[in-house]
Amino acid sequence: MTERRINVGNELPQVFGQLRDIRDLVEKAAVEAGLDMRLIELVKIRASQINGCAYCLDLHTRDARRLGEDDRRLHLVAAWWETDLYSPQERAALALTETISKLSQSQDVPDDLYAEATSVFTKEQYTAVVWSISVINTFNRLAVTSRKPLPARVAWTQEGTP
């Protein structure tokens, strides 16, 4: 069992609420730009895998299933580049997610990745994807730092919903 820590999100509820408001604005911008919310959930899942955030993985795989995402694609998102299960937009978004989530290693978004992403996304879509990556990384850092416990779950059905 992991040691309980201060839930920093609960300690500054106004700030955490504003972060949720930013998330909502980014998701609205993504929809308005014509992005499929399943793509945004894949971004959240991949960033959460990279950052080791169990709470966000639990939440966003459930959300993705509710949006109709396929279990096979959810299971393979950690190795997305080895399959042909993801669209060019999803591949670009996942590559951006990995690069931006690992900025301490990559130091930059390489020109070839930027060119690939901007060839499959409009300016508005690219902007929404980058903001989505940035916001989920913030949520990951807060949850991991706080060791936010998983919520209790009832038995899951085949579709992934209680």
Side-chain angles (χ1 to χ4, degrees), residues 4 11-12 15 24 68 85 113 131 150:
R4 292 289 237 187
E11 294 305 310
L12 291 174
V15 176
D24 294 347
L85 296 176
L113 175 53
W131 269 100
L150 294 175

mmCIF file of all heavy atoms in Angstrom, residues 4 11-12 15 24 68 85 113 131 150:
data_model
loop_
_atom_site.group_PDB
_atom_site.id
_atom_site.type_symbol
_atom_site.label_atom_id
_atom_site.label_comp_id
_atom_site.label_asym_id
_atom_site.label_seq_id
_atom_site.Cartn_x
_atom_site.Cartn_y
_atom_site.Cartn_z
ATOM 1 N N ARG A 4 -0.191 7.628 2.046
ATOM 2 C CA ARG A 4 -1.091 8.741 1.715
ATOM 3 C C ARG A 4 -0.299 10.031 1.715
ATOM 4 O O ARG A 4 0.548 10.246 2.578
ATOM 5 C CB ARG A 4 -2.215 8.848 2.734
ATOM 6 C CG ARG A 4 -3.182 7.704 2.687
ATOM 7 C CD ARG A 4 -4.000 7.782 1.477
ATOM 8 N NE ARG A 4 -5.410 7.814 1.802
ATOM 9 C CZ ARG A 4 -6.311 7.742 0.878
ATOM 10 N NH1 ARG A 4 -5.969 7.662 -0.368
ATOM 11 N NH2 ARG A 4 -7.576 7.764 1.191
ATOM 12 N N GLU A 11 -6.076 20.993 -2.029
ATOM 13 C CA GLU A 11 -5.582 22.059 -1.156
ATOM 14 C C GLU A 11 -5.739 23.447 -1.767
ATOM 15 O O GLU A 11 -5.800 24.429 -1.048
ATOM 16 C CB GLU A 11 -4.118 21.801 -0.782
ATOM 17 C CG GLU A 11 -3.933 20.572 0.080
ATOM 18 C CD GLU A 11 -4.782 20.593 1.342
ATOM 19 O OE1 GLU A 11 -4.750 21.612 2.066
ATOM 20 O OE2 GLU A 11 -5.480 19.597 1.609
ATOM 21 N N LEU A 12 -5.774 23.539 -3.070
ATOM 22 C CA LEU A 12 -6.019 24.808 -3.758
ATOM 23 C C LEU A 12 -7.178 24.601 -4.733
ATOM 24 O O LEU A 12 -6.998 24.561 -5.947
ATOM 25 C CB LEU A 12 -4.769 25.289 -4.501
ATOM 26 C CG LEU A 12 -3.596 25.732 -3.641
ATOM 27 C CD1 LEU A 12 -2.385 26.042 -4.497
ATOM 28 C CD2 LEU A 12 -3.978 26.946 -2.800
ATOM 29 N N VAL A 15 -7.644 26.926 -7.787
ATOM 30 C CA VAL A 15 -6.657 26.726 -8.852
ATOM 31 C C VAL A 15 -6.987 25.446 -9.618
ATOM 32 O O VAL A 15 -6.973 25.421 -10.850
ATOM 33 C CB VAL A 15 -5.227 26.679 -8.284
ATOM 34 C CG1 VAL A 15 -4.207 26.375 -9.372
ATOM 35 C CG2 VAL A 15 -4.893 27.992 -7.587
ATOM 36 N N ASP A 24 -11.596 22.007 -20.048
ATOM 37 C CA ASP A 24 -12.876 22.082 -20.743
ATOM 38 C C ASP A 24 -12.791 22.981 -21.973
ATOM 39 O O ASP A 24 -13.348 22.656 -23.030
ATOM 40 C CB ASP A 24 -13.978 22.560 -19.805
ATOM 41 C CG ASP A 24 -14.280 21.573 -18.673
ATOM 42 O OD1 ASP A 24 -13.826 20.407 -18.742
ATOM 43 O OD2 ASP A 24 -14.950 22.000 -17.709
ATOM 44 N N GLY A 68 -16.591 4.852 -27.341
ATOM 45 C CA GLY A 68 -16.614 3.806 -28.362
ATOM 46 C C GLY A 68 -15.247 3.319 -28.806
ATOM 47 O O GLY A 68 -15.135 2.601 -29.800
ATOM 48 N N LEU A 85 -3.023 0.357 -36.675
ATOM 49 C CA LEU A 85 -4.349 0.557 -36.095
ATOM 50 C C LEU A 85 -4.723 2.022 -35.909
ATOM 51 O O LEU A 85 -5.862 2.327 -35.580
ATOM 52 C CB LEU A 85 -4.449 -0.149 -34.734
ATOM 53 C CG LEU A 85 -4.331 -1.669 -34.745
ATOM 54 C CD1 LEU A 85 -4.349 -2.204 -33.319
ATOM 55 C CD2 LEU A 85 -5.440 -2.285 -35.574
ATOM 56 N N LEU A 113 8.861 16.069 -37.064
ATOM 57 C CA LEU A 113 7.608 15.776 -36.367
ATOM 58 C C LEU A 113 6.639 16.947 -36.501
ATOM 59 O O LEU A 113 5.449 16.747 -36.749
ATOM 60 C CB LEU A 113 7.859 15.453 -34.897
ATOM 61 C CG LEU A 113 6.620 15.231 -34.024
ATOM 62 C CD1 LEU A 113 5.687 14.186 -34.611
ATOM 63 C CD2 LEU A 113 7.050 14.866 -32.607
ATOM 64 N N TRP A 131 -2.206 21.744 -26.676
ATOM 65 C CA TRP A 131 -2.795 22.144 -25.394
ATOM 66 C C TRP A 131 -3.283 20.921 -24.619
ATOM 67 O O TRP A 131 -3.107 20.841 -23.403
ATOM 68 C CB TRP A 131 -3.929 23.146 -25.606
ATOM 69 C CG TRP A 131 -3.459 24.557 -25.573
ATOM 70 C CD1 TRP A 131 -3.195 25.375 -26.631
ATOM 71 C CD2 TRP A 131 -3.181 25.328 -24.400
ATOM 72 N NE1 TRP A 131 -2.777 26.602 -26.183
ATOM 73 C CE2 TRP A 131 -2.759 26.595 -24.822
ATOM 74 C CE3 TRP A 131 -3.251 25.065 -23.039
ATOM 75 C CZ2 TRP A 131 -2.405 27.605 -23.918
ATOM 76 C CZ3 TRP A 131 -2.900 26.067 -22.139
ATOM 77 C CH2 TRP A 131 -2.482 27.311 -22.586
ATOM 78 N N LEU A 150 -6.884 5.325 -6.732
ATOM 79 C CA LEU A 150 -7.915 4.983 -7.706
ATOM 80 C C LEU A 150 -9.277 5.010 -7.030
ATOM 81 O O LEU A 150 -9.401 4.626 -5.869
ATOM 82 C CB LEU A 150 -7.686 3.586 -8.273
ATOM 83 C CG LEU A 150 -6.443 3.383 -9.111
ATOM 84 C CD1 LEU A 150 -6.321 1.909 -9.496
ATOM 85 C CD2 LEU A 150 -6.462 4.255 -10.353
#
